[in-house]
Amino acid sequence: MIPRTAAEPPPRLALALEPARAAMTLAELARFRIAGLARGDGRPVLVSPGLCNTDRSNFMLRAMLSRLGYRPYPWRLGRNFGVRTVGPECEKLIARVEEIQRETGGKVTLIGVSLGGVMSRIVAHRRPDLVRAVLTISAPFAGAPSATNVWRPFQLLTGEKIADPAVVARLAEAARPLPMPSAAIWSRSDGFVNGLICREGSEAACRAVEVRSSHLLVQMKPQVLRAVAGILGGWT
């Protein structure tokens, strides 16, 4: 169930197993505990959802961050329909980061799930003065949309074509190395997106943390939650 190269989408079997694997994640979540995880330092953290999702999809992640001592913020932009939601220049998401920065007086750490991660990297490139660090979760920022099983829903929901020059340019921007600490959590058994395009190369400054997870509910996977806590705890 693993793509042979970064240019192809996950196998159909991996896609078909996504709902069942997501159900297993929920079963694992019932046993998740935060005891022993690195504590936070009160820094603001903005969590952005994936395609077609809302802040509700990240409630468990934000709850964990709050209990660890961070100041997690929802994005409050509604359902993520790409540029229909954040604007063609990500201006609405940038405005949200600006709002949090003004409220807290400090740079904001961005966590983005899937498409939310791609957007987070774009925001960080455009406004490094606002962003402390970036952590993506199963975000396909480093390869072609055709290496996913969700490019057709992306086109339908966002109103954009993956070959549109604007889409190609934004993805190229997201793929560039960031000027601040960054990390990418990815899974090679992801059924929606090719995990190989969810992180930079092996020698890149962006830390890559591999997990074993479906794409659906990846942000609720206990292994992912522990990885998030460990990564944030290592960023001073």
Side-chain angles (χ1 to χ4, degrees):
M1 296 195 305
I2 299 173
R4 292 168 295 180
T5 71
E8 59 187 286
R12 291 184 177 181
L13 178 58
L15 177 62
L17 289 175
E18 279 283 321
R21 296 179 70 196
M24 292 175 61
T25 291
L26 290 177
E28 294 173 15
L29 189 60
R31 299 188 298 273
F32 175 68
R33 301 291 183 271
I34 69 168
L37 298 183
R39 304 298 300 182
D41 57 5
R43 79 189 71 172
V45 181
L46 173 62
V47 185
S48 297
L51 179 66
C52 201
N53 282 306
T54 68
D55 284 320
R56 291 182 179 179
S57 65
N58 292 324
F59 79 94
M60 181 58 65
L61 178 53
R62 293 197 311 276
M64 181 197 73
L65 293 174
S66 180
R67 291 181 65 189
L68 289 177
Y70 296 100
R71 296 179 64 182
Y73 287 82
W75 82 336
R76 292 183 179 170
L77 295 176
R79 199 169 293 279
N80 189 348
F81 291 135
V83 296
R84 287 177 169 169
T85 300
V86 302
E89 302 300 328
C90 284
E91 62 268 24
K92 294 180 181 178
L93 184 54
I94 290 173
R96 178 62 173 144
V97 180
E98 289 176 329
E99 179 183 20
I100 296 170
Q101 192 276 334
R102 286 193 301 269
E103 178 182 328
T104 63
K107 289 188 175 182
V108 183
T109 295
L110 305 182
I111 297 180
V113 180
S114 196
L115 180 59
V118 178
M119 294 172 169
S120 295
R121 287 181 62 96
I122 293 172
V123 169
H125 275 302
R126 297 185 181 185
R127 293 299 305 272
D129 58 307
L130 298 173
V131 180
R132 178 174 180 173
V134 180
L135 170 56
T136 58
I137 301 173
S138 298
F141 64 84
S146 56
T148 75
N149 285 317
V150 293
W151 66 268
R152 289 181 179 88
F154 170 86
Q155 292 189 149
L156 178 64
L157 295 169
T158 68
E160 294 189 302
K161 302 297 183 183
I162 61 173
D164 288 347
V167 174
V168 174
R170 282 197 303 271
L171 191 57
E173 183 177 10
R176 293 202 316 265
L178 289 165
M180 69 280 296
S182 61
I185 296 173
W186 67 285
S187 170
R188 71 179 69 238
S189 61
D190 192 311
F192 279 15
V193 303
N194 186 324
L196 299 176
I197 67 171
C198 293
R199 83 285 192 272
E200 296 180 11
S202 58
E203 302 300 320
C206 179
R207 178 183 174 187
V209 178
E210 184 177 0
V211 297
R212 186 175 180 83
S213 177
S214 59
H215 193 90
L216 287 174
L217 304 187
V218 62
Q219 70 275 25
M220 295 185 184
K221 184 83 171 180
Q223 185 183 5
V224 171
L225 294 173
R226 287 190 288 268
V228 169
I231 293 167
L232 293 185
W235 285 338
T236 57

